[in-house]
């Protein structure tokens, strides 16, 4: 499935729907107050600030906020869980890159808190893993775990379908302006040992209950299983699938026409 609403809307300026980087989809304006939710070390936060907006990076991990603050001393960062953060003033936009799929406890609560942080008409713009994200990597993990007689690995992500996330946004008081669900195969430059490194880096929690002497043979099997789909002559490629959206907080008291 791959669909989008490319209708021009002033809330999103001139940006064409397809392929624009998230920052262009957000289209920050000088003086706007914007939150970067799940900001990590602040890569997107910096880009937003460079467009002249007043930006606050929020992240649940204290070490991420410490690193973001150290790297970007002029910007504001704070520790907060996206499921229950509050703000003392309304914001013009909330942006989020590669973070919403880690917020698994209650996606509706995240959307509700974003809604509460925005002024009516405020924008919520994000990119996250969508349904089918890393399907080959995950299948290789599941098979390897089974082969080694282990229970199903408990995966730490939420990869919604476009229909599911659209329903959550609409039920949460947003009007969707754009929603794209697209394959984005990506070179795994950060994972020289391929799928095994990917598990070590992005899913270490799944290894917590694996007997220590089983970890390496298990990950070697993950590599064997994933290699036919994901290893190229030039290196490993992750089978990423991304969901990108731009939504607007509905005006207060708005009702749906019959
Ligand atoms: C893959 S990083 C993305 C960082 C950054 N947005 C970027 O594009 O580089 C995901 C971030 O989401 C944060 N995160 C995960 N769950 C969170 C939560 N419930 N509340 C706030 N931040 C969370 C993590 O701490 C991590 O920094």
């Amino acid at each position: 499935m791959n669909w989008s609403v490319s209708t021009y809307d002033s809330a999103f300026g001139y940006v064409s729907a397809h392929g624009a980087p998230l920052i262009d989809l957000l289209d920050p304006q000088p003086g706007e107050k914007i939150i970067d939710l799940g900001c990590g070390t602040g890569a997107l936060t910096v880009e937003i600030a460079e467009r002249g907006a007043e930006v606050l990076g929020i992240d649940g991990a204290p070490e991420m906020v410490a690193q973001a603050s150290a790297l970007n001393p002029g910007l504001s960062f704070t520790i907060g869980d996206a499921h229950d953060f509050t703000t003392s003033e309304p914001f013009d936009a909330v942006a989020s890159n590669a973070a919403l799929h880690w917020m698994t406890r209650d996606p509706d609560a995240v959307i509700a808190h974003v809604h509460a942080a925005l002024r009516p008409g405020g924008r919520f713009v994000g990119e996250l893993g969508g349904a089918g994200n890393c399907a080959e990597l995950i299948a290789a993990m599941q098979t390897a775990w089974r082969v080694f007689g282990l229970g199903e690995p408990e995966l730490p992500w939420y990869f919604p379908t476009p229909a599911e996330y659209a329903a959550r946004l609409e039920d949460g008081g947003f009007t969707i302006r754009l929603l794209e669900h697209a394959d984005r195969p990506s070179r795994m430059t950060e994972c020289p040992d391929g799928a095994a490194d990917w598990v070590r880096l992005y899913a270490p929690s799944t290894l917590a209950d694996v007997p220590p002497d089983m970890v390496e043979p298990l990950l070697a099997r993950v590599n064997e299983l994933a290699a036919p789909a994901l290893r190229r002559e030039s290196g490993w490629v992750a089978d990423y699938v991304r969901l990108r959206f731009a939504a607007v907080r509905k005006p207060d008291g708005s009702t749906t026409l019959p």
Side-chain angles (χ1 to χ4, degrees), residues 16 19 29 40 52 71 76 88 94 96 104 114 118 123 131 150 153 164-165 188-189 192 202 205-206 208 211 233 253:
S16 91
Q29 298 300 308
L71 289 172
S76 300
S88 54
V94 173
S96 183
T104 54
V114 170
L118 288 170
R123 312 172 325 269
L150 299 164
E164 179 188 345
Y165 208 69
M188 296 165 67
T189 44
Y202 296 112
S205 60
T206 63
E233 294 241 334

PDB file of all heavy atoms in Angstrom, residues 16 19 29 40 52 71 76 88 94 96 104 114 118 123 131 150 153 164-165 188-189 192 202 205-206 208 211 233 253:
ATOM      1  N   SER A  16       6.090  19.617  -1.881  1.00  0.00           N
ATOM      2  CA  SER A  16       5.415  18.544  -2.600  1.00  0.00           C
ATOM      3  C   SER A  16       5.429  17.313  -1.704  1.00  0.00           C
ATOM      4  O   SER A  16       6.321  17.123  -0.888  1.00  0.00           O
ATOM      5  CB  SER A  16       6.109  18.261  -3.921  1.00  0.00           C
ATOM      6  OG  SER A  16       7.075  17.271  -3.746  1.00  0.00           O
ATOM      7  N   GLY A  19       8.851  12.494  -1.259  1.00  0.00           N
ATOM      8  CA  GLY A  19      10.300  12.535  -1.205  1.00  0.00           C
ATOM      9  C   GLY A  19      10.893  13.727  -0.477  1.00  0.00           C
ATOM     10  O   GLY A  19      12.100  13.785  -0.303  1.00  0.00           O
ATOM     11  N   GLN A  29       8.767  27.877  10.415  1.00  0.00           N
ATOM     12  CA  GLN A  29       8.816  29.308  10.108  1.00  0.00           C
ATOM     13  C   GLN A  29       9.546  30.037  11.238  1.00  0.00           C
ATOM     14  O   GLN A  29       9.454  29.635  12.400  1.00  0.00           O
ATOM     15  CB  GLN A  29       7.395  29.861   9.974  1.00  0.00           C
ATOM     16  CG  GLN A  29       6.599  29.230   8.848  1.00  0.00           C
ATOM     17  CD  GLN A  29       7.253  29.454   7.498  1.00  0.00           C
ATOM     18  OE1 GLN A  29       7.581  30.592   7.139  1.00  0.00           O
ATOM     19  NE2 GLN A  29       7.480  28.376   6.750  1.00  0.00           N
ATOM     20  N   GLY A  40      16.524  12.371  20.464  1.00  0.00           N
ATOM     21  CA  GLY A  40      17.840  11.736  20.449  1.00  0.00           C
ATOM     22  C   GLY A  40      18.930  12.759  20.727  1.00  0.00           C
ATOM     23  O   GLY A  40      18.804  13.592  21.631  1.00  0.00           O
ATOM     24  N   GLY A  52      15.091  29.049  11.988  1.00  0.00           N
ATOM     25  CA  GLY A  52      14.659  30.237  12.729  1.00  0.00           C
ATOM     26  C   GLY A  52      13.543  29.988  13.732  1.00  0.00           C
ATOM     27  O   GLY A  52      13.053  30.929  14.349  1.00  0.00           O
ATOM     28  N   LEU A  71      26.210  18.643  22.642  1.00  0.00           N
ATOM     29  CA  LEU A  71      26.515  18.912  21.224  1.00  0.00           C
ATOM     30  C   LEU A  71      25.963  20.252  20.764  1.00  0.00           C
ATOM     31  O   LEU A  71      26.483  20.860  19.836  1.00  0.00           O
ATOM     32  CB  LEU A  71      25.918  17.801  20.339  1.00  0.00           C
ATOM     33  CG  LEU A  71      26.585  16.427  20.416  1.00  0.00           C
ATOM     34  CD1 LEU A  71      25.771  15.392  19.636  1.00  0.00           C
ATOM     35  CD2 LEU A  71      28.011  16.503  19.860  1.00  0.00           C
ATOM     36  N   SER A  76      17.495  24.094  23.489  1.00  0.00           N
ATOM     37  CA  SER A  76      16.832  23.612  24.706  1.00  0.00           C
ATOM     38  C   SER A  76      16.428  22.144  24.550  1.00  0.00           C
ATOM     39  O   SER A  76      15.782  21.776  23.564  1.00  0.00           O
ATOM     40  CB  SER A  76      15.562  24.429  24.972  1.00  0.00           C
ATOM     41  OG  SER A  76      15.884  25.767  25.125  1.00  0.00           O
ATOM     42  N   SER A  88       3.848  24.094  29.135  1.00  0.00           N
ATOM     43  CA  SER A  88       3.204  25.209  29.834  1.00  0.00           C
ATOM     44  C   SER A  88       2.603  26.204  28.855  1.00  0.00           C
ATOM     45  O   SER A  88       1.909  27.135  29.254  1.00  0.00           O
ATOM     46  CB  SER A  88       4.229  25.901  30.732  1.00  0.00           C
ATOM     47  OG  SER A  88       5.342  26.263  29.952  1.00  0.00           O
ATOM     48  N   VAL A  94       4.666  19.886  16.338  1.00  0.00           N
ATOM     49  CA  VAL A  94       5.462  18.815  16.949  1.00  0.00           C
ATOM     50  C   VAL A  94       6.000  17.975  15.800  1.00  0.00           C
ATOM     51  O   VAL A  94       5.246  17.573  14.910  1.00  0.00           O
ATOM     52  CB  VAL A  94       4.618  17.931  17.893  1.00  0.00           C
ATOM     53  CG1 VAL A  94       5.430  16.739  18.378  1.00  0.00           C
ATOM     54  CG2 VAL A  94       4.112  18.744  19.088  1.00  0.00           C
ATOM     55  N   SER A  96       8.649  14.596  14.743  1.00  0.00           N
ATOM     56  CA  SER A  96       9.267  13.415  15.336  1.00  0.00           C
ATOM     57  C   SER A  96       9.875  12.547  14.246  1.00  0.00           C
ATOM     58  O   SER A  96       9.186  12.176  13.292  1.00  0.00           O
ATOM     59  CB  SER A  96       8.221  12.610  16.123  1.00  0.00           C
ATOM     60  OG  SER A  96       8.850  11.513  16.757  1.00  0.00           O
ATOM     61  N   THR A 104       6.001   2.307  22.444  1.00  0.00           N
ATOM     62  CA  THR A 104       5.089   1.181  22.231  1.00  0.00           C
ATOM     63  C   THR A 104       4.001   1.061  23.298  1.00  0.00           C
ATOM     64  O   THR A 104       3.019   0.372  23.078  1.00  0.00           O
ATOM     65  CB  THR A 104       5.894  -0.131  22.241  1.00  0.00           C
ATOM     66  OG1 THR A 104       6.648  -0.175  23.459  1.00  0.00           O
ATOM     67  CG2 THR A 104       6.842  -0.198  21.075  1.00  0.00           C
ATOM     68  N   VAL A 114       0.545  14.935  22.271  1.00  0.00           N
ATOM     69  CA  VAL A 114       0.938  15.847  21.186  1.00  0.00           C
ATOM     70  C   VAL A 114      -0.203  16.823  20.925  1.00  0.00           C
ATOM     71  O   VAL A 114       0.006  18.047  20.816  1.00  0.00           O
ATOM     72  CB  VAL A 114       1.276  15.061  19.898  1.00  0.00           C
ATOM     73  CG1 VAL A 114       1.449  16.003  18.718  1.00  0.00           C
ATOM     74  CG2 VAL A 114       2.542  14.223  20.104  1.00  0.00           C
ATOM     75  N   LEU A 118      -0.297  21.197  21.283  1.00  0.00           N
ATOM     76  CA  LEU A 118      -0.432  22.059  20.101  1.00  0.00           C
ATOM     77  C   LEU A 118      -1.571  23.059  20.244  1.00  0.00           C
ATOM     78  O   LEU A 118      -2.592  22.768  20.874  1.00  0.00           O
ATOM     79  CB  LEU A 118      -0.724  21.194  18.861  1.00  0.00           C
ATOM     80  CG  LEU A 118       0.432  20.350  18.336  1.00  0.00           C
ATOM     81  CD1 LEU A 118      -0.083  19.366  17.275  1.00  0.00           C
ATOM     82  CD2 LEU A 118       1.526  21.243  17.755  1.00  0.00           C
ATOM     83  N   ARG A 123       0.668  21.779  13.803  1.00  0.00           N
ATOM     84  CA  ARG A 123       1.017  20.640  12.942  1.00  0.00           C
ATOM     85  C   ARG A 123       1.711  19.533  13.720  1.00  0.00           C
ATOM     86  O   ARG A 123       2.510  19.811  14.614  1.00  0.00           O
ATOM     87  CB  ARG A 123       1.959  21.096  11.808  1.00  0.00           C
ATOM     88  CG  ARG A 123       1.412  22.298  11.187  1.00  0.00           C
ATOM     89  CD  ARG A 123       2.164  23.058  10.203  1.00  0.00           C
ATOM     90  NE  ARG A 123       3.565  23.244  10.208  1.00  0.00           N
ATOM     91  CZ  ARG A 123       4.200  24.263  10.809  1.00  0.00           C
ATOM     92  NH1 ARG A 123       3.537  25.136  11.566  1.00  0.00           N
ATOM     93  NH2 ARG A 123       5.498  24.400  10.696  1.00  0.00           N
ATOM     94  N   ALA A 131       4.254  -0.664   8.917  1.00  0.00           N
ATOM     95  CA  ALA A 131       4.014  -2.107   8.816  1.00  0.00           C
ATOM     96  C   ALA A 131       4.935  -2.715   7.762  1.00  0.00           C
ATOM     97  O   ALA A 131       5.099  -2.154   6.686  1.00  0.00           O
ATOM     98  CB  ALA A 131       2.557  -2.345   8.443  1.00  0.00           C
ATOM     99  N   LEU A 150      14.267 -21.371  21.580  1.00  0.00           N
ATOM    100  CA  LEU A 150      13.911 -20.233  22.446  1.00  0.00           C
ATOM    101  C   LEU A 150      12.478 -19.792  22.154  1.00  0.00           C
ATOM    102  O   LEU A 150      11.959 -20.028  21.050  1.00  0.00           O
ATOM    103  CB  LEU A 150      14.864 -19.066  22.185  1.00  0.00           C
ATOM    104  CG  LEU A 150      16.345 -19.340  22.457  1.00  0.00           C
ATOM    105  CD1 LEU A 150      17.218 -18.275  21.796  1.00  0.00           C
ATOM    106  CD2 LEU A 150      16.611 -19.383  23.959  1.00  0.00           C
ATOM    107  N   PRO A 153      10.989 -14.019  20.208  1.00  0.00           N
ATOM    108  CA  PRO A 153      11.598 -12.794  20.766  1.00  0.00           C
ATOM    109  C   PRO A 153      10.556 -11.690  20.911  1.00  0.00           C
ATOM    110  O   PRO A 153       9.712 -11.510  20.037  1.00  0.00           O
ATOM    111  CB  PRO A 153      12.655 -12.412  19.716  1.00  0.00           C
ATOM    112  CG  PRO A 153      12.209 -13.062  18.452  1.00  0.00           C
ATOM    113  CD  PRO A 153      11.456 -14.303  18.843  1.00  0.00           C
ATOM    114  N   GLU A 164      -4.155   2.038  10.148  1.00  0.00           N
ATOM    115  CA  GLU A 164      -4.231   2.036  11.612  1.00  0.00           C
ATOM    116  C   GLU A 164      -3.770   3.379  12.176  1.00  0.00           C
ATOM    117  O   GLU A 164      -4.438   3.959  13.043  1.00  0.00           O
ATOM    118  CB  GLU A 164      -3.351   0.906  12.155  1.00  0.00           C
ATOM    119  CG  GLU A 164      -3.330   0.832  13.663  1.00  0.00           C
ATOM    120  CD  GLU A 164      -2.292  -0.167  14.182  1.00  0.00           C
ATOM    121  OE1 GLU A 164      -1.800  -1.002  13.397  1.00  0.00           O
ATOM    122  OE2 GLU A 164      -1.978  -0.081  15.377  1.00  0.00           O
ATOM    123  N   TYR A 165      -2.646   3.891  11.666  1.00  0.00           N
ATOM    124  CA  TYR A 165      -2.140   5.140  12.244  1.00  0.00           C
ATOM    125  C   TYR A 165      -3.031   6.317  11.872  1.00  0.00           C
ATOM    126  O   TYR A 165      -3.243   7.232  12.681  1.00  0.00           O
ATOM    127  CB  TYR A 165      -0.672   5.383  11.843  1.00  0.00           C
ATOM    128  CG  TYR A 165       0.045   6.202  12.879  1.00  0.00           C
ATOM    129  CD1 TYR A 165       0.328   5.663  14.129  1.00  0.00           C
ATOM    130  CD2 TYR A 165       0.393   7.524  12.645  1.00  0.00           C
ATOM    131  CE1 TYR A 165       0.940   6.413  15.118  1.00  0.00           C
ATOM    132  CE2 TYR A 165       1.016   8.286  13.633  1.00  0.00           C
ATOM    133  CZ  TYR A 165       1.282   7.717  14.863  1.00  0.00           C
ATOM    134  OH  TYR A 165       1.874   8.469  15.852  1.00  0.00           O
ATOM    135  N   MET A 188      23.351  -0.675   5.673  1.00  0.00           N
ATOM    136  CA  MET A 188      23.554  -0.845   7.119  1.00  0.00           C
ATOM    137  C   MET A 188      25.011  -0.517   7.451  1.00  0.00           C
ATOM    138  O   MET A 188      25.757  -1.366   7.940  1.00  0.00           O
ATOM    139  CB  MET A 188      23.198  -2.276   7.524  1.00  0.00           C
ATOM    140  CG  MET A 188      21.730  -2.592   7.303  1.00  0.00           C
ATOM    141  SD  MET A 188      21.330  -4.350   7.352  1.00  0.00           S
ATOM    142  CE  MET A 188      21.644  -4.765   9.055  1.00  0.00           C
ATOM    143  N   THR A 189      25.374   0.732   7.205  1.00  0.00           N
ATOM    144  CA  THR A 189      26.780   1.106   7.395  1.00  0.00           C
ATOM    145  C   THR A 189      27.199   0.992   8.859  1.00  0.00           C
ATOM    146  O   THR A 189      28.374   0.768   9.160  1.00  0.00           O
ATOM    147  CB  THR A 189      27.018   2.549   6.910  1.00  0.00           C
ATOM    148  OG1 THR A 189      25.948   3.363   7.381  1.00  0.00           O
ATOM    149  CG2 THR A 189      27.060   2.633   5.402  1.00  0.00           C
ATOM    150  N   PRO A 192      28.585  -3.510  10.503  1.00  0.00           N
ATOM    151  CA  PRO A 192      29.502  -4.265   9.636  1.00  0.00           C
ATOM    152  C   PRO A 192      29.249  -5.773   9.685  1.00  0.00           C
ATOM    153  O   PRO A 192      29.482  -6.467   8.701  1.00  0.00           O
ATOM    154  CB  PRO A 192      30.895  -3.911  10.179  1.00  0.00           C
ATOM    155  CG  PRO A 192      30.667  -3.209  11.484  1.00  0.00           C
ATOM    156  CD  PRO A 192      29.283  -2.672  11.488  1.00  0.00           C
ATOM    157  N   TYR A 202      19.944  -2.619  17.810  1.00  0.00           N
ATOM    158  CA  TYR A 202      18.571  -2.103  17.889  1.00  0.00           C
ATOM    159  C   TYR A 202      17.623  -2.985  18.708  1.00  0.00           C
ATOM    160  O   TYR A 202      16.510  -2.562  19.016  1.00  0.00           O
ATOM    161  CB  TYR A 202      17.996  -1.919  16.480  1.00  0.00           C
ATOM    162  CG  TYR A 202      18.745  -0.865  15.693  1.00  0.00           C
ATOM    163  CD1 TYR A 202      19.512  -1.208  14.592  1.00  0.00           C
ATOM    164  CD2 TYR A 202      18.700   0.483  16.081  1.00  0.00           C
ATOM    165  CE1 TYR A 202      20.220  -0.246  13.878  1.00  0.00           C
ATOM    166  CE2 TYR A 202      19.403   1.445  15.377  1.00  0.00           C
ATOM    167  CZ  TYR A 202      20.158   1.083  14.283  1.00  0.00           C
ATOM    168  OH  TYR A 202      20.863   2.034  13.586  1.00  0.00           O
ATOM    169  N   SER A 205      17.364  -5.866  23.910  1.00  0.00           N
ATOM    170  CA  SER A 205      16.464  -6.432  24.929  1.00  0.00           C
ATOM    171  C   SER A 205      16.086  -7.877  24.597  1.00  0.00           C
ATOM    172  O   SER A 205      15.820  -8.674  25.497  1.00  0.00           O
ATOM    173  CB  SER A 205      15.200  -5.575  25.064  1.00  0.00           C
ATOM    174  OG  SER A 205      14.516  -5.516  23.830  1.00  0.00           O
ATOM    175  N   THR A 206      16.086  -8.226  23.305  1.00  0.00           N
ATOM    176  CA  THR A 206      15.701  -9.600  22.935  1.00  0.00           C
ATOM    177  C   THR A 206      16.790 -10.607  23.311  1.00  0.00           C
ATOM    178  O   THR A 206      16.533 -11.808  23.332  1.00  0.00           O
ATOM    179  CB  THR A 206      15.436  -9.712  21.415  1.00  0.00           C
ATOM    180  OG1 THR A 206      16.656  -9.411  20.707  1.00  0.00           O
ATOM    181  CG2 THR A 206      14.344  -8.769  20.964  1.00  0.00           C
ATOM    182  N   ALA A 208      18.442 -10.392  26.207  1.00  0.00           N
ATOM    183  CA  ALA A 208      18.630 -10.372  27.668  1.00  0.00           C
ATOM    184  C   ALA A 208      18.428 -11.752  28.287  1.00  0.00           C
ATOM    185  O   ALA A 208      19.143 -12.121  29.225  1.00  0.00           O
ATOM    186  CB  ALA A 208      17.681  -9.357  28.294  1.00  0.00           C
ATOM    187  N   PRO A 211      20.756 -17.498  26.954  1.00  0.00           N
ATOM    188  CA  PRO A 211      21.959 -17.919  27.681  1.00  0.00           C
ATOM    189  C   PRO A 211      23.208 -17.346  27.014  1.00  0.00           C
ATOM    190  O   PRO A 211      23.314 -17.405  25.778  1.00  0.00           O
ATOM    191  CB  PRO A 211      21.912 -19.451  27.570  1.00  0.00           C
ATOM    192  CG  PRO A 211      20.468 -19.779  27.326  1.00  0.00           C
ATOM    193  CD  PRO A 211      19.894 -18.622  26.566  1.00  0.00           C
ATOM    194  N   GLU A 233      26.619  -7.608  -2.745  1.00  0.00           N
ATOM    195  CA  GLU A 233      28.082  -7.548  -2.937  1.00  0.00           C
ATOM    196  C   GLU A 233      28.656  -6.342  -2.210  1.00  0.00           C
ATOM    197  O   GLU A 233      29.735  -6.376  -1.645  1.00  0.00           O
ATOM    198  CB  GLU A 233      28.403  -7.420  -4.417  1.00  0.00           C
ATOM    199  CG  GLU A 233      28.023  -8.629  -5.226  1.00  0.00           C
ATOM    200  CD  GLU A 233      29.222  -9.254  -5.892  1.00  0.00           C
ATOM    201  OE1 GLU A 233      30.177  -8.528  -6.138  1.00  0.00           O
ATOM    202  OE2 GLU A 233      29.189 -10.479  -6.113  1.00  0.00           O
ATOM    203  N   GLY A 253     -13.803  22.330  19.067  1.00  0.00           N
ATOM    204  CA  GLY A 253     -15.251  22.333  18.837  1.00  0.00           C
ATOM    205  C   GLY A 253     -15.640  21.962  17.429  1.00  0.00           C
ATOM    206  O   GLY A 253     -16.810  22.050  17.070  1.00  0.00           O
TER     207      GLY A 253
END
